[in-house]
Amino acid sequence: MLQARRLGKELVVGVHSDEDILDNKGPTVMTLAERVSAVDACRWSTSSVPHAPYVTSLPWISHYGCHYVVHGDDITSDSSGEDCYRFVKAAQRFLVVKRTPGISTTDLVGRMLLCTKNHFIRSLTRTLAGDDGPGSQEERSSAAKEMSQRIRDYASDKTGLQPGPWVLSYAETGPAQEASIGTQDAGSYTTFVDGVRPKAEQRIVYVDGGFDLFSSGHIEFLRQVVKAEEALAHERGWYDDTPARKERLAESNNDYGPAYIVAGIHDDEVINHWKGVNYPIMNILERGLCVLQCKHIHSIIFSAPFTPSKAYLTSMPFGKPDAVYHGPTTFMPLTYDPYIAAKDLGIYQEIGNHKFQNVNAGEIVQRILRSRQMYEERQKKKGEKAAGEEAVQRREDMEKEAAALEKERAMRR
């Protein structure tokens, strides 16, 4: 989608129905509504079109004003084995972009069924420096260069060509803390990508989480944060025809939002400490890139502490947040309140229930397990290793143990 947007001024994204995908490719993991919400939240997407035909026709793309169709460099066929883009190719209205390497639905399903942990990143900073990770020094350096470029690419604006989100990494300056305690010092920040900074009039808003398998639940939470801040902005006259608004328009030719939203991304080992099994299913880089492409955020902080202490919140490069938001999640019940500092500072806010509140990594894994046989067939067609009964049973047992631990923690809280 990023590469496609760079080829034009608008990007219309067609989303196939669940039924068409099942008939032509295999079972879906997300529902159509969930997948549409993901497309709509992508910074480079201009609009989405649900129920897009699996075989793309010229009248259809012309109806939506599209000059070209863009796809990855892999071959996509329909259920009869014919090229899904044969009509637009014949009309020379087909453009090819490089397929994004290293991550796919097939990879993620394999991690869930096989319960592997080799995707974890111990230290993103060291990995991006080429000092950590699998392989030789040359291989690590090459991988680090590719990862760093991916971060820079994703930290672009809605055109995909200009600077966008500010990307940082956080590290404690004192002794390492237990995952349940969090940092008690100010720590230090490293800029990975120097993006757009907050404007003087914008409220600084902080959110944090694992954002594993970045789903409609996470997206809707972030969207609701934006809505809450917009409602506050209406109350304080942000959108009124005032000299301040005229000055903003004169400065940028396009007014900017009232809030600058910063998302903290937790380390793999922190999430695994609380959730167990082989969570997170996506490593910190993958999760960070998912959040980074979302139009509802303006900055991300890799390796953010699980417990945002007063020292951490008051030492941010943006300044102390005006608000810290948390959503209605029950995926990771705790034995303590990680937001006590934000509450003491009087900046804690909660987002209420919403239509996708139950869609999280645990729910997605359960969907895979419930339809395991269909996904096994999909894995085989992709040439991936099948999990087998024993591996799946082990996953189910570990999930039950994790659920029991969650229940015990909830009762102790």
Side-chain angles (χ1 to χ4, degrees):
M1 288 168 69
L2 168 59
Q3 293 178 85
R5 180 57 189 269
R6 285 173 169 172
L7 297 174
K9 294 183 178 179
E10 292 189 10
L11 177 62
V12 178
V13 182
V15 186
H16 303 313
S17 69
D18 297 348
E19 295 77 15
D20 274 356
I21 297 172
L22 181 60
D23 290 343
N24 291 278
K25 189 175 181 179
T28 60
V29 179
M30 307 291 195
T31 66
L32 177 62
E34 291 165 3
R35 290 180 285 113
V36 168
S37 77
V39 170
D40 287 341
C42 180
R43 186 178 300 109
W44 309 300
S45 168
T46 305
S47 62
S48 64
V49 182
H51 299 281
Y54 206 78
V55 177
T56 307
S57 67
L58 288 171
W60 192 83
I61 65 169
S62 297
H63 173 76
Y64 289 98
C66 300
H67 296 93
Y68 294 97
V69 175
V70 182
H71 196 266
D73 55 11
D74 55 332
I75 298 173
T76 303
S77 303
D78 60 19
S79 57
S80 60
E82 293 191 84
D83 191 331
C84 291
Y85 300 99
R86 55 190 180 273
F87 301 117
V88 291
K89 285 180 178 179
Q92 297 185 325
R93 293 174 68 177
F94 185 75
L95 300 175
V96 177
V97 295
K98 184 180 178 182
R99 184 74 171 173
T100 304
I103 190 69
S104 68
T105 304
T106 305
D107 295 330
L108 296 176
V109 169
R111 293 177 190 179
M112 294 178 208
L113 294 178
L114 295 169
C115 218
T116 55
K117 289 186 179 181
N118 53 9
H119 58 283
F120 283 11
I121 292 178
R122 289 184 297 178
S123 167
L124 183 60
T125 301
R126 286 180 52 80
T127 298
L128 292 176
D131 297 330
D132 205 355
S136 64
Q137 180 60 59
E138 183 179 351
E139 291 170 328
R140 290 197 299 271
S141 297
S142 177
K145 184 178 180 181
E146 184 180 306
M147 289 179 184
S148 297
Q149 184 59 53
R150 187 78 58 79
I151 294 173
R152 288 193 292 271
D153 287 341
Y154 278 45
S156 58
D157 70 350
K158 65 181 182 181
T159 70
L161 300 171
Q162 299 298 323
W166 185 7
V167 183
L168 304 104
S169 180
Y170 174 80
E172 295 178 7
T173 55
Q177 300 289 331
E178 180 71 20
S180 61
I181 300 173
T183 182
Q184 301 302 313
D185 58 57
S188 62
Y189 295 84
T190 301
T191 293
F192 284 166
V193 180
D194 193 3
V196 176
R197 306 293 179 99
K199 307 292 185 182
E201 306 90 351
Q202 288 181 306
R203 277 168 51 92
I204 303 300
V205 173
Y206 182 69
V207 299
D208 64 357
F211 300 104
D212 194 14
L213 297 174
F214 193 63
S215 67
S216 54
H218 303 118
I219 292 166
E220 185 61 19
F221 161 67
L222 293 173
R223 194 179 75 85
Q224 292 293 335
V225 169
V226 173
K227 283 186 63 178
E229 286 297 311
E230 288 176 345
L232 287 173
H234 276 290
E235 292 178 7
R236 59 189 176 102
W238 175 273
Y239 299 103
D240 295 346
D241 188 20
T242 61
R245 187 166 191 268
K246 291 177 181 177
E247 186 177 332
R248 294 199 304 269
L249 289 169
E251 177 187 346
S252 61
N253 295 321
N254 187 21
D255 202 4
Y256 46 84
Y260 186 90
I261 299 174
V262 183
I265 318 294
H266 303 318
D267 279 327
D268 296 345
E269 64 177 15
V270 170
I271 297 172
N272 192 253
H273 170 87
W274 285 106
K275 188 58 190 169
V277 197
N278 72 328
Y279 292 105
I281 305 301
M282 300 177 96
N283 63 45
I284 186 171
L285 176 66
E286 295 160 351
R287 293 181 285 112
L289 291 175
C290 285
V291 178
L292 190 53
Q293 60 80 40
C294 182
K295 69 180 182 182
H296 301 313
I297 64 94
H298 302 88
S299 175
I300 68 169
I301 302 174
F302 282 111
S303 302
F306 192 75
T307 302
S309 67
K310 181 178 180 181
Y312 172 75
L313 292 171
T314 56
S315 66
M316 288 183 170
F318 328 92
K320 189 192 82 172
D322 296 286
V324 174
Y325 282 86
H326 186 57
T329 177
T330 56
F331 184 50
M332 201 180 293
L334 307 174
T335 55
Y336 75 108
D337 184 356
Y339 296 102
I340 191 68
K343 291 177 180 178
D344 288 345
L345 290 168
I347 57 175
Y348 180 77
Q349 301 287 334
E350 284 192 355
I351 294 298
N353 295 338
H354 55 74
K355 60 183 177 179
F356 294 125
Q357 67 188 50
N358 295 318
V359 185
N360 54 41
E363 164 62 19
I364 295 167
V365 167
Q366 289 304 315
R367 293 179 185 181
I368 298 292
L369 293 177
R370 286 195 294 267
S371 303
R372 192 259 304 176
Q373 288 185 332
M374 287 192 295
Y375 289 109
E376 286 277 276
E377 288 300 317
R378 178 175 177 159
Q379 298 298 95
K380 290 176 184 176
K381 289 180 181 178
K382 292 281 188 177
E384 298 290 327
K385 181 180 178 183
E389 291 288 346
E390 184 178 343
V392 173
Q393 185 61 54
R394 183 170 67 252
R395 171 96 216 184
E396 291 177 344
D397 291 342
M398 294 176 75
E399 288 285 347
K400 288 177 182 177
E401 290 174 6
L405 180 59
E406 288 176 8
K407 185 176 180 180
E408 181 183 337
R409 285 172 174 167
M411 291 176 65
R412 291 206 310 265
R413 186 172 173 180

